[in-house]
Amino acid sequence: MAAVEAETGLLTLESLPTDPLLLILSFVDYRDLINCCYVSRRLSQLSTHDPLWRRHCKKYWLISEEEKARKNQCWKSLFIDTYSDVGRYIDHYAAIKKAWDDLKKYLEPRCPRMVLSLKEGAREEDLDAVEAQIGCKLPDDYRCSYRIHNGQKLVVPGLLGSMALSNHYRSEDLLDVDTAAGGFQQRQGLKYCLPLTFCIHTGLSQYIAVEAAEGRNKNEVFYQCPDQMARNPAAIDMFIIGATFTDWFTSYVNNVVSGGFPIIRDQIFRYIHDPECVATTGDITVSVSTSFLPELSSVHPPHYFFTYRIRIEMSRDALPEKACQLDSRYWRITNAKGDVEEVQGPGVVGEFPIISPGRIYEYTSCTTFSTTSGYMEGYYTFHFLYFKDKVFNVAIPRFHMACPTFRVSIARLPPKC
């Protein structure tokens, strides 16, 4: 062989230096790294080089150096052991595991009861049994998540967010897989739909379509919305909130851990705040966050219910004599058709808050539109406490509200002739 190389001037795989080969192998995927074992003895030996498997353990299984040290295993062994357990989820595991890790890390100091309510992961045989029970395959990313945490105990607060108005409260728990299977739907309008969440106060659930049926796409996540104008009880519209389980779960977690959804009294409130939706007048800043309430909305008749949370804050650097009291509010409300409604009245939600340097006042209210979107803007009128005759207006920034994409039911009865 050496004589042939000398005569031809060509290098063979067997004669290449080790370091360049290891560098090349460090860029190949785990599948190709395994296949190298069948190419030649040399590649088979190099593919067992343990540092090559470090990248794959971190990329696919999120295994840390600390976990490796604790288990006292080599990287290749860790990869193989994990693959033998959850290998079918290798395309989903990292995204789902990261979302769970980020969520728990964020909630532990803020909502400890919520973290304690999480159940241990389900076993493969448990998930297989549910598939046999419902007669449908569960999405792999759904199964992957339930291998990590099998939902939560039915407690309040729920992991999937809360909402509280004067006479309405919602807090959604993430269902364990057995409870979800018990709520699997075969009736018209929700055929092949599995509940993901449940609110013990409203009976509200978010569903995932495990099969394509009745106009739904497979794996879509949605809130049901019964068609109130149809005689057919199977006529159920849907507010779509996720294209897949991964899309639904990771986007929710991102909103939580980024601070997009505020934590109020140990609960996650699904208000969305636009960072640009802030207005400052003198020493007072007003900011607004909004939320769509599907359980109080309908497509037929068109009735879209929104709640908004307003924060009024006076700068800490303001002079003491700038202390003031809110007297009245003015709203200009515009729907998607351009129709305008003006509202003016005393106080806010029956209160006349006093604002002083460093003080924050927050309140929640709601509105409805007959169109799928609209916006509000306006101002508050205040008077100074030390100069009662002196009044001034504080701008409320324009804030937009829009309901999620929805799909109209295909099960409506035809109109009468």
Side-chain angles (χ1 to χ4, degrees), residues 186-248:
Q186 285 284 28
R187 64 186 174 94
Q188 283 188 317
L190 284 175
K191 200 167 186 180
Y192 303 126
C193 293
L194 188 75
L196 293 175
T197 69
F198 182 71
C199 171
I200 60 177
H201 298 88
T202 65
L204 181 75
S205 287
Q206 297 178 61
Y207 285 90
I208 184 169
V210 296
E211 296 288 349
E214 301 177 322
R216 285 180 293 274
N217 296 323
K218 187 175 181 179
N219 298 338
E220 275 183 329
V221 181
F222 65 94
Y223 278 107
Q224 63 165 317
C225 175
D227 186 340
Q228 298 178 18
M229 297 183 71
R231 294 184 179 181
N232 186 347
I236 295 176
D237 303 320
M238 50 190 285
F239 291 110
I240 302 168
I241 48 179
T244 63
F245 179 89
T246 300
D247 172 47
W248 171 77

Side-chain angles (χ1 to χ4, degrees), residues 27-211:
F27 291 101
V28 304
D29 195 19
Y30 76 94
R31 298 176 182 86
D32 297 320
L33 196 56
I34 291 172
N35 288 333
C36 284
C37 298
Y38 305 103
V39 175
S40 71
R41 181 177 298 177
R42 180 84 190 284
L43 282 184
S44 178
Q45 292 172 338
L46 291 176
S47 66
T48 62
H49 186 60
D50 201 51
L52 291 175
W53 293 94
R54 177 178 180 271
R55 179 171 70 91
H56 301 298
C57 283
K58 289 180 175 291
K59 176 181 177 181
Y60 292 106
W61 310 130
L62 305 185
I63 297 175
S64 65
E65 301 282 351
E66 293 77 10
E67 185 177 354
K68 177 183 181 296
R70 188 171 63 253
K71 292 187 175 181
N72 194 27
Q73 290 180 270
C74 66
W75 287 113
K76 184 177 180 182
S77 175
L78 280 171
F79 184 91
I80 292 172
D81 285 353
T82 310
Y83 189 90
S84 66
D85 182 30
V86 290
R88 68 177 288 178
Y89 311 119
I90 195 164
D91 293 330
H92 307 288
Y93 188 87
I96 297 291
K97 181 68 162 56
K98 183 179 185 303
W100 273 116
D101 289 348
D102 290 348
L103 185 62
K104 289 188 293 184
K105 181 179 178 181
Y106 185 82
L107 292 180
E108 277 171 353
R110 298 170 175 85
C111 307
R113 288 185 303 157
M114 206 178 288
V115 176
L116 289 173
S117 74
L118 296 175
K119 295 185 175 183
E120 296 294 324
R123 301 172 301 171
E124 281 294 299
E125 50 264 40
D126 298 330
L127 297 167
D128 291 341
V130 166
E131 288 186 341
Q133 176 184 339
I134 66 176
C136 293
K137 291 291 185 182
L138 298 171
D140 265 354
D141 52 353
Y142 174 96
R143 289 183 60 120
C144 179
S145 181
Y146 278 73
R147 286 299 313 276
I148 298 169
H149 280 295
N150 186 15
Q152 68 174 138
K153 302 168 188 174
L154 285 178
V155 296
V156 175
L159 185 71
L160 269 295
S162 301
M163 186 56 62
L165 298 175
S166 58
N167 58 352
H168 179 79
Y169 178 74
R170 177 232 302 166
S171 187
E172 292 182 64
D173 291 296
L174 180 65
L175 291 175
D176 64 67
V177 69
D178 288 327
T179 306
F184 181 69
Q185 299 292 314
Q186 285 284 28
R187 64 186 174 94
Q188 283 188 317
L190 284 175
K191 200 167 186 180
Y192 303 126
C193 293
L194 188 75
L196 293 175
T197 69
F198 182 71
C199 171
I200 60 177
H201 298 88
T202 65
L204 181 75
S205 287
Q206 297 178 61
Y207 285 90
I208 184 169
V210 296
E211 296 288 349

Side-chain angles (χ1 to χ4, degrees), residues 271-284:
Y271 283 102
I272 297 174
H273 174 64
D274 180 353
E276 296 184 0
C277 190
V278 177
T280 299
T281 304
D283 296 303
I284 299 177

Side-chain angles (χ1 to χ4, degrees), residues 283-284 314-325 354-358 382-392:
D283 296 303
I284 299 177
M314 180 174 282
S315 169
R316 291 183 179 275
D317 299 329
L319 297 173
E321 55 264 31
K322 292 296 184 72
C324 54
Q325 185 171 22
I354 291 175
I355 306 295
S356 56
F382 285 82
H383 72 264
F384 288 109
L385 295 183
Y386 295 97
F387 311 99
K388 294 186 182 296
D389 294 334
K390 189 173 182 181
V391 300
F392 62 100

